[in-house]
Amino acid sequence: MDVVNSILQNDIQKKDTHKSTVVNKDTEIETDLGTLLALDYNALDLKALKSQPEEYLRSLTRDNVQILINKIWELPVERVDEVTVAKLPKQEFILPRARQIPKAKLLTKWQQFAKEKGIKTKRKSKSKVKWDEELQKWIPTFGYKRNKAIEQKEWLVELNNEGKAAENPFADAKAAKEERKSKNELQRLRNIAKAKNIKIPKVGLPTKEHFADSQQLSQAMTIARTSTASLGKFQDRLPKEKDAKGIAKQVPGMKRKAEEVPRNLQEEKKRNTNLADNILKSNTKILREDFSVPKTKPAKAEKSKKKGKKAAKAKGIKKPKAGKGERNMRRKVGGRKRR
Amino acid sequence: MKRLTEEKTKLVLEKLTKYIGTNVKLLLDRPDGVYCFRERKGRVYYVSEKILSLASMVNPDKLTSIGTCFGKFTKSGKFRLHITALYHLAPYVQHKIWVKPSAEQQFLYGHHISKSGLSRITENTPQYQGVVIFSTNNIPLGFGVTAKSTMDCKYADPMATICFHQADIGEYIRSEDSLI
């Protein structure tokens, strides 16, 4: 009887699958309740998938979700405020990360130094305002109100040096602040360059050599192509390769594009006024003002500790030479042994 | 009579801005007609439109000069102002130097101006600024380049050079043949 009953029940369930909570699968599906994940390893019914893809997929999904929910009901269930609640277990399935793990930020030069020396800054939670004893007032740490407060505080500056009486201490302070600001900016940019592995000079500002642009590349390409005995006449060009602009003077055999000639006097006048405007606007100083230019020293190669060793190392490369007028018995000198 | 190429025009205008600064626009944009630059045998002439059309009648080989000669291009490609440009520079110039009557002759003979010959100088003149030199009764005598800024002039010793000589009106006699 039991067997017959069970078969009958199965039959009823097969007819009316939407209402049943029992789902039969050939192979058990894998579930992870922590992440509410179900993995179905059963083979797809290709016929049904091709004939009625939407319906088939919907029913398949429904079945699998049903299994997942059945599993959740197996968990210990509580009732909190008229709502049935189940506590999910810890996740077992490890989800792969979508993006790369971000790299740690490189330390700035100061941070690195502080770390090496064990210097710790006393960083408390910085408040936006500070109590000023002199003015008996709360003063913000930055912004226009702080500057106004400082103006109020330092309306008079004592001059103790007679020789420097003519100078303006306010202007000096302002200039010094500008100097500090620009120094800080330079150091900030240096730190960025260091973090991004960009080469910059040790002293002074970077020039065009440090940041090569596409124009330089095309110039180099043009010069390289025309540097044959036949001035590049038989050299193939890359597809869409054009001659670099502005180097026609230096490259022999390259034709300069003729300048557009103004048609009448009005046009010429317009061109001239435009040129004058450009000259007046341009950043390049036509007038040499007396500003001081920091002199940059060429970076020296690191000196080896002992000169004698260096000479011995270079033995294989350079032609051996005698003492060069210096008599040094200890120094090992290459060359033929004379008897 | 050639039009100046863009590069050469730029050189000329740059040189003019050294002396007259933003006033260079006034030379180009004039209310009394269109003026332009023309080049012939390396000399640059500043010509009005009217004279230019008249000059087209003359055989170019026979033409000696036209308009005002502003200067010439040197063989190394630089532009050099001639004293003939003084008439157009003097009214627009931004920095001036006045010389004492005793030092006038020295300057007109082609010497630099020393501190002892200096009568007045425009305030805030930087170093190496193009200036026009005037006599005490405001007659333009020539032009040059300051060797010292106004501030430095105060503390310079009397024999120190204040202004380097570039051109003076004595050249009309001294180098008559090479001017045009």
Side-chain angles (χ1 to χ4, degrees), chain A residues 236-249:
Chain A
D236 289 334
R237 276 171 193 257
L238 293 170
K240 289 183 185 175
E241 188 194 333
K242 280 176 188 169
D243 282 336
K245 281 174 191 170
I247 52 163
K249 251 187 190 173

PDB file of all heavy atoms in Angstrom, chain A residues 236-249:
ATOM      1  N   ASP A 236      61.290  53.141 -46.708  1.00  0.00           N
ATOM      2  CA  ASP A 236      59.831  53.025 -46.705  1.00  0.00           C
ATOM      3  C   ASP A 236      59.274  53.806 -45.522  1.00  0.00           C
ATOM      4  O   ASP A 236      59.889  53.883 -44.471  1.00  0.00           O
ATOM      5  CB  ASP A 236      59.424  51.553 -46.583  1.00  0.00           C
ATOM      6  CG  ASP A 236      59.727  50.810 -47.861  1.00  0.00           C
ATOM      7  OD1 ASP A 236      59.752  51.476 -48.912  1.00  0.00           O
ATOM      8  OD2 ASP A 236      59.961  49.589 -47.801  1.00  0.00           O
ATOM      9  N   ARG A 237      58.071  54.316 -45.756  1.00  0.00           N
ATOM     10  CA  ARG A 237      57.400  55.008 -44.660  1.00  0.00           C
ATOM     11  C   ARG A 237      56.434  54.063 -43.974  1.00  0.00           C
ATOM     12  O   ARG A 237      55.937  53.121 -44.594  1.00  0.00           O
ATOM     13  CB  ARG A 237      56.600  56.189 -45.197  1.00  0.00           C
ATOM     14  CG  ARG A 237      57.410  57.430 -45.398  1.00  0.00           C
ATOM     15  CD  ARG A 237      56.569  58.445 -46.134  1.00  0.00           C
ATOM     16  NE  ARG A 237      57.413  59.528 -46.616  1.00  0.00           N
ATOM     17  CZ  ARG A 237      57.478  60.711 -46.038  1.00  0.00           C
ATOM     18  NH1 ARG A 237      56.769  60.963 -44.983  1.00  0.00           N
ATOM     19  NH2 ARG A 237      58.253  61.655 -46.519  1.00  0.00           N
ATOM     20  N   LEU A 238      56.183  54.325 -42.731  1.00  0.00           N
ATOM     21  CA  LEU A 238      55.141  53.573 -42.043  1.00  0.00           C
ATOM     22  C   LEU A 238      53.796  54.028 -42.597  1.00  0.00           C
ATOM     23  O   LEU A 238      53.701  55.120 -43.165  1.00  0.00           O
ATOM     24  CB  LEU A 238      55.189  53.887 -40.546  1.00  0.00           C
ATOM     25  CG  LEU A 238      56.411  53.398 -39.792  1.00  0.00           C
ATOM     26  CD1 LEU A 238      56.405  53.992 -38.407  1.00  0.00           C
ATOM     27  CD2 LEU A 238      56.409  51.881 -39.711  1.00  0.00           C
ATOM     28  N   PRO A 239      52.767  53.207 -42.459  1.00  0.00           N
ATOM     29  CA  PRO A 239      51.465  53.698 -42.916  1.00  0.00           C
ATOM     30  C   PRO A 239      51.063  54.960 -42.146  1.00  0.00           C
ATOM     31  O   PRO A 239      51.210  55.017 -40.934  1.00  0.00           O
ATOM     32  CB  PRO A 239      50.521  52.530 -42.604  1.00  0.00           C
ATOM     33  CG  PRO A 239      51.268  51.624 -41.705  1.00  0.00           C
ATOM     34  CD  PRO A 239      52.705  51.816 -41.999  1.00  0.00           C
ATOM     35  N   LYS A 240      50.629  55.949 -42.888  1.00  0.00           N
ATOM     36  CA  LYS A 240      50.160  57.238 -42.334  1.00  0.00           C
ATOM     37  C   LYS A 240      51.281  58.052 -41.689  1.00  0.00           C
ATOM     38  O   LYS A 240      51.017  58.967 -40.921  1.00  0.00           O
ATOM     39  CB  LYS A 240      49.041  57.023 -41.311  1.00  0.00           C
ATOM     40  CG  LYS A 240      47.740  56.585 -41.928  1.00  0.00           C
ATOM     41  CD  LYS A 240      46.694  56.470 -40.865  1.00  0.00           C
ATOM     42  CE  LYS A 240      45.403  55.917 -41.454  1.00  0.00           C
ATOM     43  NZ  LYS A 240      44.407  55.684 -40.424  1.00  0.00           N
ATOM     44  N   GLU A 241      52.517  57.696 -41.966  1.00  0.00           N
ATOM     45  CA  GLU A 241      53.599  58.476 -41.363  1.00  0.00           C
ATOM     46  C   GLU A 241      53.774  59.788 -42.113  1.00  0.00           C
ATOM     47  O   GLU A 241      53.799  59.824 -43.331  1.00  0.00           O
ATOM     48  CB  GLU A 241      54.899  57.682 -41.410  1.00  0.00           C
ATOM     49  CG  GLU A 241      56.003  58.366 -40.635  1.00  0.00           C
ATOM     50  CD  GLU A 241      57.355  57.793 -40.941  1.00  0.00           C
ATOM     51  OE1 GLU A 241      57.435  56.623 -41.317  1.00  0.00           O
ATOM     52  OE2 GLU A 241      58.335  58.538 -40.819  1.00  0.00           O
ATOM     53  N   LYS A 242      53.894  60.865 -41.342  1.00  0.00           N
ATOM     54  CA  LYS A 242      54.093  62.182 -41.947  1.00  0.00           C
ATOM     55  C   LYS A 242      55.387  62.773 -41.425  1.00  0.00           C
ATOM     56  O   LYS A 242      55.858  62.419 -40.349  1.00  0.00           O
ATOM     57  CB  LYS A 242      52.930  63.099 -41.583  1.00  0.00           C
ATOM     58  CG  LYS A 242      51.717  62.852 -42.435  1.00  0.00           C
ATOM     59  CD  LYS A 242      50.582  63.721 -41.959  1.00  0.00           C
ATOM     60  CE  LYS A 242      49.299  63.334 -42.670  1.00  0.00           C
ATOM     61  NZ  LYS A 242      48.142  63.961 -42.056  1.00  0.00           N
ATOM     62  N   ASP A 243      55.909  63.723 -42.205  1.00  0.00           N
ATOM     63  CA  ASP A 243      57.115  64.406 -41.748  1.00  0.00           C
ATOM     64  C   ASP A 243      56.795  65.266 -40.535  1.00  0.00           C
ATOM     65  O   ASP A 243      55.724  65.865 -40.461  1.00  0.00           O
ATOM     66  CB  ASP A 243      57.644  65.298 -42.869  1.00  0.00           C
ATOM     67  CG  ASP A 243      58.385  64.484 -43.909  1.00  0.00           C
ATOM     68  OD1 ASP A 243      58.858  63.393 -43.554  1.00  0.00           O
ATOM     69  OD2 ASP A 243      58.467  64.926 -45.069  1.00  0.00           O
ATOM     70  N   ALA A 244      57.738  65.318 -39.627  1.00  0.00           N
ATOM     71  CA  ALA A 244      57.528  66.167 -38.444  1.00  0.00           C
ATOM     72  C   ALA A 244      57.554  67.630 -38.868  1.00  0.00           C
ATOM     73  O   ALA A 244      58.222  68.005 -39.832  1.00  0.00           O
ATOM     74  CB  ALA A 244      58.616  65.889 -37.415  1.00  0.00           C
ATOM     75  N   LYS A 245      56.816  68.440 -38.136  1.00  0.00           N
ATOM     76  CA  LYS A 245      56.746  69.864 -38.483  1.00  0.00           C
ATOM     77  C   LYS A 245      57.861  70.627 -37.794  1.00  0.00           C
ATOM     78  O   LYS A 245      58.319  70.260 -36.715  1.00  0.00           O
ATOM     79  CB  LYS A 245      55.399  70.415 -38.023  1.00  0.00           C
ATOM     80  CG  LYS A 245      54.290  70.064 -38.970  1.00  0.00           C
ATOM     81  CD  LYS A 245      52.964  70.515 -38.396  1.00  0.00           C
ATOM     82  CE  LYS A 245      51.827  69.931 -39.216  1.00  0.00           C
ATOM     83  NZ  LYS A 245      50.559  70.166 -38.553  1.00  0.00           N
ATOM     84  N   GLY A 246      58.263  71.708 -38.429  1.00  0.00           N
ATOM     85  CA  GLY A 246      59.180  72.639 -37.780  1.00  0.00           C
ATOM     86  C   GLY A 246      60.636  72.253 -37.811  1.00  0.00           C
ATOM     87  O   GLY A 246      61.448  72.883 -37.177  1.00  0.00           O
ATOM     88  N   ILE A 247      60.974  71.168 -38.558  1.00  0.00           N
ATOM     89  CA  ILE A 247      62.401  70.813 -38.608  1.00  0.00           C
ATOM     90  C   ILE A 247      62.905  70.808 -40.041  1.00  0.00           C
ATOM     91  O   ILE A 247      63.943  70.239 -40.349  1.00  0.00           O
ATOM     92  CB  ILE A 247      62.682  69.448 -37.936  1.00  0.00           C
ATOM     93  CG1 ILE A 247      61.772  68.371 -38.491  1.00  0.00           C
ATOM     94  CG2 ILE A 247      62.564  69.536 -36.452  1.00  0.00           C
ATOM     95  CD1 ILE A 247      62.274  66.989 -38.185  1.00  0.00           C
ATOM     96  N   ALA A 248      62.155  71.476 -40.920  1.00  0.00           N
ATOM     97  CA  ALA A 248      62.537  71.497 -42.337  1.00  0.00           C
ATOM     98  C   ALA A 248      63.898  72.145 -42.521  1.00  0.00           C
ATOM     99  O   ALA A 248      64.642  71.793 -43.435  1.00  0.00           O
ATOM    100  CB  ALA A 248      61.486  72.231 -43.146  1.00  0.00           C
ATOM    101  N   LYS A 249      64.230  73.084 -41.644  1.00  0.00           N
ATOM    102  CA  LYS A 249      65.510  73.783 -41.771  1.00  0.00           C
ATOM    103  C   LYS A 249      66.670  72.823 -41.522  1.00  0.00           C
ATOM    104  O   LYS A 249      67.684  72.871 -42.188  1.00  0.00           O
ATOM    105  CB  LYS A 249      65.561  74.914 -40.743  1.00  0.00           C
ATOM    106  CG  LYS A 249      65.447  76.281 -41.373  1.00  0.00           C
ATOM    107  CD  LYS A 249      65.678  77.309 -40.300  1.00  0.00           C
ATOM    108  CE  LYS A 249      65.337  78.687 -40.849  1.00  0.00           C
ATOM    109  NZ  LYS A 249      65.398  79.693 -39.801  1.00  0.00           N
TER     110      LYS A 249
END
